[in-house]
Amino acid sequence: MAELKPARVFEQFAKINQIPRPSKHEEQLISYLQAFAKERGLSVKVDETGNVLISKPASKGYENRATTVLQCHMDMVCDKLVDVEFDFYKDPIQTYVDGDWLKAKGTTLGADDGIGDAIELAILDSDDIEHGPIECLFTRDEETGLTGAFGMKSGFMTGDYLINLDSEDEGQIFVSCAGGINTTATFNFKREDAPKNYFFMLGSLKGLTGGHSGDDIEKKRANAIKVLARFLYMQQEKMDLRLAQWNSGKMHNAITRDGKIVFAVPFDKKEEVKADWNIFTKDVEDEFHVTDTNMVWSLESTDAQSVLPKTVSQNMIRAIQALDNGVFSICQDKELNEMVETSSTIASVQSEEDKVVCVTSQRSNVMSNLTNMANTIKATWQLAGAEVVQNDGYPAWKMNPNSKLLKITVDAYTKLFGKEPVVRGIHAGLECGLFSEKYPHIDMVSFGPTLRYVHTPEERLYIPTVQMVWDHLLEVLKNIPEK
């Protein structure tokens, strides 16, 4: 990646992408960061959760400046195309340049948040940058539970200012984020034989755009689970449909791109189902003709197998049909106008021998609305007879109207690029919400280079924006005030 600019950042990114780092399995990267610091004579510590903090003294003349924390997360979302052979626990990410974009071959790129890691490492590795004292914080497991930020104790970092490098739109400065809760429903049952003279079908959908269920939720992209539920619901309203398998989605924080269903209908209804499928698929393609242009559908016969009890099958399909999915409300605050406030996404449905587990994710920038949305989803599952569990969730990050760091960040951007950046909140979750609870004194902003289609194999990094973010960050560091 030597031809990419800034070279020092892309060199670090190339090294990081050789290191497997699925969520909850960042041990190799933790060891790498420890060795990196020790080789350069920098102080490094690892807390009991696995978060890594590397400290770098101020450059000459900046010793009296306040300490700035640069923060990103170590883990990456691991997703791949269904026909790609790849082991995220062993194989390095294979990147390539496509015009102005950096992509990966059939997998997620890992720029979320590997490019943040690379920027921090490039600063730690440089001796020609003007800055006050710096603490580079690398947190664990942001993508599947923010367990690193949850587990980090007060006092682990000591800075007065914090710059989160986990945003995905260059030219936008983020000052607040949504909180979130996951709601998981489990349908337990004992399988039974299908009635006699029933015809089994395997339906599948793939090729959807997908995306991040926070940052992309307002883009009206199709969710494979909801689409398949629509078809199943309409069919079971017409005939005695029996569900056997449903597997769709892998991650709690992504818009589901594909899925498969196995179901049985009376033998004399099979041609009617096939005709309905052909009509339904064309209608859905037309509905999402702007956002999802590469849908691939399949409906074929398959071997007979055991099925879910009729009541369980019916109730689960009804519940998924009924679930709120997508944008629920828009922010009313003037500072955050037109930003999504509250949303919910059904992220995965996975069937096993004696149960089906359904995972949903709720988000809101208003904590009372987050509770309401999560309770709405919980109640829907409860009415369907599922066992429902919710995690503790994570808090929203509220905008600080008196932020000194925000003014420094905006002024630096305006000076460099001759225009003001957009100051806004983000509907995705950032670790800043948890930091604001444990370190209420810290003044925080978030920015980063442009990424698209994160959490999918189409993830890409817009190369020119990395140089812009690098220049912007260095200008901000030069202007951090004295203690």
Side-chain angles (χ1 to χ4, degrees):
M1 295 189 186
E3 73 278 8
L4 304 181
K5 304 295 183 181
R8 64 180 93 184
V9 173
F10 281 102
E11 287 169 5
Q12 297 297 337
F13 186 58
K15 293 177 182 178
I16 290 169
N17 267 349
Q18 301 300 304
I19 304 171
R21 56 190 195 281
S23 299
K24 304 185 188 301
H25 297 274
E26 304 93 341
E27 293 81 7
Q28 292 185 59
L29 185 53
I30 292 171
S31 297
Y32 177 82
L33 293 172
Q34 290 177 294
F36 181 95
K38 291 175 181 177
E39 288 171 4
R40 291 156 181 79
L42 300 174
S43 173
V44 58
K45 58 182 180 178
V46 181
D47 69 7
E48 59 189 22
T49 307
N51 301 307
V52 179
L53 188 81
I54 302 175
S55 301
K56 184 179 182 181
S59 57
K60 186 176 181 180
Y62 288 78
E63 294 86 355
N64 292 328
R65 302 295 177 95
T67 299
T68 302
V69 179
L70 304 180
Q71 185 268 323
C72 57
H73 62 84
M74 291 182 274
D75 60 319
M76 64 173 285
V77 168
C78 299
D79 196 12
K80 66 182 184 67
L81 297 176
V82 294
D83 55 351
V84 170
E85 293 293 329
F86 192 90
D87 187 344
F88 283 100
Y89 296 92
K90 297 179 180 179
D91 299 336
I93 302 297
Q94 301 294 317
T95 61
Y96 68 97
V97 175
D98 182 4
D100 283 335
W101 295 92
L102 186 67
K103 302 178 181 179
K105 296 179 180 179
T107 71
T108 39
L109 174 63
D112 174 17
D113 188 20
I115 196 64
D117 297 323
I119 289 172
E120 291 192 36
L121 291 175
I123 287 177
L124 292 171
D125 197 40
S126 301
D127 57 9
D128 59 345
I129 296 173
E130 299 170 296
H131 59 79
I134 288 176
E135 295 178 337
C136 286
L137 174 63
F138 305 85
T139 52
R140 291 193 78 166
D141 188 29
E142 188 268 352
E143 297 290 5
T144 64
L146 296 101
T147 54
F150 267 112
M152 191 177 70
K153 295 179 180 178
S154 299
F156 186 62
M157 56 182 178
T158 65
D160 299 296
Y161 300 96
L162 184 145
I163 300 172
N164 170 278
L165 296 168
D166 189 23
S167 296
E168 299 160 7
D169 293 277
E170 191 285 322
Q172 299 186 12
I173 312 301
F174 294 93
V175 294
S176 75
C177 73
I181 292 176
N182 287 345
T183 303
T184 301
T186 302
F187 292 87
N188 296 295
F189 49 81
K190 183 178 180 179
R191 288 183 176 270
E192 57 190 40
D193 293 335
K196 293 182 179 180
N197 298 319
Y198 268 54
F199 187 80
F200 277 79
M201 296 183 175
L202 168 62
S204 67
L205 169 61
K206 63 180 182 179
L208 300 185
T209 302
H212 191 294
S213 61
D215 204 36
D216 296 319
I217 196 65
E218 82 284 2
K219 296 180 174 65
K220 299 181 181 179
R221 295 174 183 171
N223 180 313
I225 296 171
K226 288 293 287 186
V227 171
L228 292 172
R230 287 162 59 173
F231 180 77
L232 290 172
Y233 178 79
M234 288 189 294
Q235 295 306 302
Q236 82 170 13
E237 287 294 290
K238 297 170 61 176
M239 63 190 72
D240 183 26
L241 180 145
R242 305 300 297 274
L243 184 65
Q245 302 286 342
W246 193 339
N247 294 94
S248 185
K250 306 177 186 69
M251 299 162 293
H252 75 95
N253 52 5
I255 301 169
T256 309
R257 297 182 296 107
D258 50 47
K260 294 182 179 181
I261 49 174
V262 177
F263 60 95
V265 296
F267 196 87
D268 61 359
K269 296 290 187 180
K270 66 173 184 175
E271 296 305 324
E272 181 180 349
V273 173
K274 292 177 182 178
D276 288 348
W277 176 268
N278 291 333
I279 295 170
F280 175 78
T281 58
K282 295 300 181 184
D283 287 345
V284 171
E285 287 176 356
D286 183 62
E287 179 181 345
F288 294 99
H289 72 279
V290 174
T291 58
D292 293 271
T293 59
N294 297 306
M295 293 184 180
V296 179
W297 305 83
S298 175
L299 183 67
E300 56 190 31
S301 62
T302 191
D303 295 337
Q305 55 188 273
S306 60
V307 296
L308 279 63
K310 184 175 180 178
T311 300
V312 175
S313 176
Q314 285 183 332
N315 288 346
M316 186 176 72
I317 291 170
R318 287 168 178 166
I320 298 175
Q321 170 71 35
L323 283 177
D324 276 306
N325 187 82
V327 177
F328 183 75
S329 62
I330 302 296
C331 284
Q332 300 300 310
D333 294 345
K334 292 181 180 179
E335 297 88 351
L336 304 175
N337 190 33
E338 297 185 358
M339 187 186 80
V340 176
E341 177 191 272
T342 306
S343 74
S344 183
T345 305
I346 180 161
S348 71
V349 176
Q350 294 295 329
S351 59
E352 302 177 25
E353 176 60 29
D354 57 358
K355 64 183 178 181
V356 177
V357 180
C358 307
V359 178
T360 64
S361 174
Q362 292 77 57
R363 304 174 188 267
S364 184
N365 291 63
V366 179
M367 295 306 290
S368 61
N369 282 344
L370 175 61
T371 300
N372 177 54
M373 187 80 261
N375 284 342
T376 298
I377 300 301
K378 181 179 180 180
T380 305
W381 290 127
Q382 288 172 327
L383 286 169
E387 295 182 4
V388 187
V389 176
Q390 292 180 322
N391 68 354
D392 293 333
Y394 53 91
W397 167 31
K398 294 182 179 179
M399 180 178 181
N400 175 8
N402 302 311
S403 171
K404 293 181 181 179
L405 182 57
L406 176 59
K407 184 179 187 307
I408 293 168
T409 305
V410 170
D411 289 347
Y413 191 91
T414 305
K415 174 185 175 183
L416 286 172
F417 306 116
K419 59 181 180 180
E420 290 192 2
V422 175
V423 177
R424 55 166 297 198
I426 189 171
H427 190 57
L430 293 172
E431 291 153 300
C432 296
L434 286 164
F435 298 150
S436 67
E437 286 193 336
K438 298 180 181 182
Y439 299 84
H441 69 283
I442 288 188
D443 193 353
M444 298 182 287
V445 298
S446 177
F447 59 87
T450 297
L451 298 173
R452 290 294 177 263
Y453 305 110
V454 296
H455 298 183
T456 81
E458 295 299 320
E459 181 185 355
R460 61 196 63 186
L461 168 66
Y462 192 50
I463 296 166
T465 63
V466 180
Q467 182 71 60
M468 297 175 72
V469 168
W470 176 257
D471 293 341
H472 184 204
L473 178 59
L474 298 195
E475 185 67 24
V476 171
L477 291 176
K478 284 196 300 185
N479 288 282
I480 295 295
E482 294 186 355
K483 301 174 185 178

